[in-house]
Amino acid sequence: MSDARHSVAVVAFDRVQLLDVTGPAEVFTTANTYGAAYDVRIVSPDGADVTTSSGVRIGVDGGEDAVPARIGTVLVPGRSDWRRAVDDVTLIGLTSRLAGRARRVASVCAGAFLLAEAGVLDGRRAATHWRLAAELAAAYPAVTVADDPVFVRDGPVITSAGVTAGIDLALALVEEDHGAELARNVARELVVFMARPGGQSQFSARLGPVAARHPAVRTAMDAVGADPRSAPGLDALARTAGVSPRHLTRLFRAETGMTPGQYVESVRLEAARALLEGGGDAVEAVAHSAGFGSSESMRRAFQQALGVAPTEYRARFRTTGAAG
């Protein structure tokens, strides 16, 4: 472990997400109590204090000249209205210049849009909040957007998912700099996961009915949604929709990106999620009610789609545990 100070420049601006800034800053400063040497400085485009999205004011250390010429890490948070952020020419200019002076560059949540606007993510893989992933991909086609990982590293650029994922990101950077044991001490101190189990999918909104233009696909979807547990097989679905099995498969792929079988499983998965969150039935009973052949087949579906087992999912999302 080096005794040299590692400068961390955190970009702040009006309407920034508060926890995007303070979460990583808390990780780095807590690491200092265990022997790290991070010099965390918060900077804004004009060097003035900023008002966050929650209305809390953040005092900053100054503007661009408040950090060293060579920066260890630049961290760029986001704001929910990312379009307003990327339209701020002064903010994008600051982001671009700081990134050019840094050994590594990181973003939290919608901060990926600022990096993309500054050209930092061109030709790279990146992550952002699951709700914004499609928007990032559409707005910046030169960026390959990964919509499930909590954070993604592509060379010296690391991008993370929504809000609290900035803590996961900062812990990973501390581990990179000072090893797993020091990072574990920080995680214990802050009472957070050293590595969050599962990806963003477990937090994402319900899939809901996928919009379909073709009447045959809509008819098949209605048949599945009416009773996921007894959803008909491909041949029966095709007969219901009035097309051949092959044609129905082609239509499903074109309109949903899934086969009919994959769609059936996705509907059953959503049904199981709702049952696990809202009831106390045993996992085997939930599997039967949702249409899975067994709890084992449901477990495999959860692991593949969400990265967690059904029992873990229930423990995480059924209740906060705050009720007496």
Side-chain angles (χ1 to χ4, degrees):
M1 180 175 62
S2 171
D3 291 331
R5 301 286 284 175
H6 179 119
S7 60
V8 177
V10 182
V11 179
F13 47 92
D14 280 332
R15 308 309 297 172
V16 69
Q17 292 273 101
L18 176 63
L19 196 56
D20 284 11
V21 176
T22 58
E26 193 70 28
V27 170
F28 290 123
T29 54
T30 301
N32 286 347
T33 66
Y34 291 97
Y38 291 108
D39 178 15
V40 181
R41 303 187 191 184
I42 299 175
V43 298
S44 66
D46 59 3
D49 295 350
V50 302
T51 302
T52 66
S53 59
S54 61
V56 175
R57 291 182 62 82
I58 293 179
V60 308
D61 294 293
E64 186 176 354
D65 58 356
V67 294
R70 292 299 300 167
I71 307 166
T73 301
V74 167
L75 191 140
V76 181
R79 60 178 285 180
S80 56
D81 183 2
W82 61 265
R83 292 175 181 84
R84 295 287 295 274
V86 301
D87 284 343
D88 187 333
V89 176
T90 304
L91 173 59
I92 298 303
L94 173 65
T95 300
S96 178
R97 290 190 299 275
L98 291 178
R101 292 161 52 185
R103 178 170 66 83
R104 66 187 176 198
V105 181
S107 68
V108 181
C109 197
F113 287 88
L114 277 70
L115 292 186
E117 182 68 20
V120 176
L121 298 183
D122 286 355
R124 298 186 185 276
R125 291 180 71 245
T128 188
H129 191 288
W130 59 265
R131 183 174 53 80
L132 301 175
E135 295 178 37
L136 180 63
Y140 300 96
V143 182
T144 301
V145 181
D147 59 5
D148 187 51
V150 173
F151 59 88
V152 169
R153 177 160 200 154
D154 191 327
V157 180
I158 311 97
T159 50
S160 67
V163 193
T164 59
I167 294 173
D168 300 75
L169 168 66
L171 280 169
L173 298 181
V174 169
E175 181 178 7
E176 177 183 305
D177 295 337
H178 299 285
E181 185 57 34
L182 192 147
R184 274 194 292 271
N185 286 334
V186 175
R188 292 190 192 103
E189 182 70 23
L190 298 179
V191 198
V192 296
F193 287 117
M194 172 69 168
R196 186 193 304 248
Q200 289 197 77
S201 300
Q202 60 186 307
F203 302 98
S204 64
R206 289 286 181 262
L207 293 175
V210 180
R213 296 183 301 276
H214 199 285
V217 178
R218 290 200 300 270
T219 299
M221 286 180 169
D222 289 343
V224 173
D227 186 3
R229 183 173 64 181
S230 303
L234 176 59
D235 289 346
L237 271 180
R239 284 194 299 272
T240 300
V243 295
S244 70
R246 180 177 295 181
H247 189 45
L248 183 63
T249 298
R250 283 198 297 265
L251 290 172
F252 254 88
R253 284 192 183 279
E255 298 215 11
T256 71
M258 295 182 279
T259 66
Q262 289 169 333
Y263 179 75
V264 169
E265 181 164 289
S266 74
V267 172
R268 287 173 173 166
L269 184 68
E270 293 307 303
R273 287 172 72 170
L275 289 168
L276 289 169
E277 291 175 14
D281 290 345
V283 170
E284 187 69 45
V286 169
H288 176 73
S289 297
F292 289 99
S294 66
S295 59
E296 176 57 25
S297 62
M298 185 173 76
R299 187 194 66 78
R300 287 196 298 268
F302 266 74
Q303 288 286 3
Q304 182 175 359
L306 308 179
V308 294
T311 50
E312 294 175 291
Y313 183 87
R314 166 176 274 167
R316 202 163 298 157
F317 292 101
R318 183 179 176 191
T319 176
T320 62

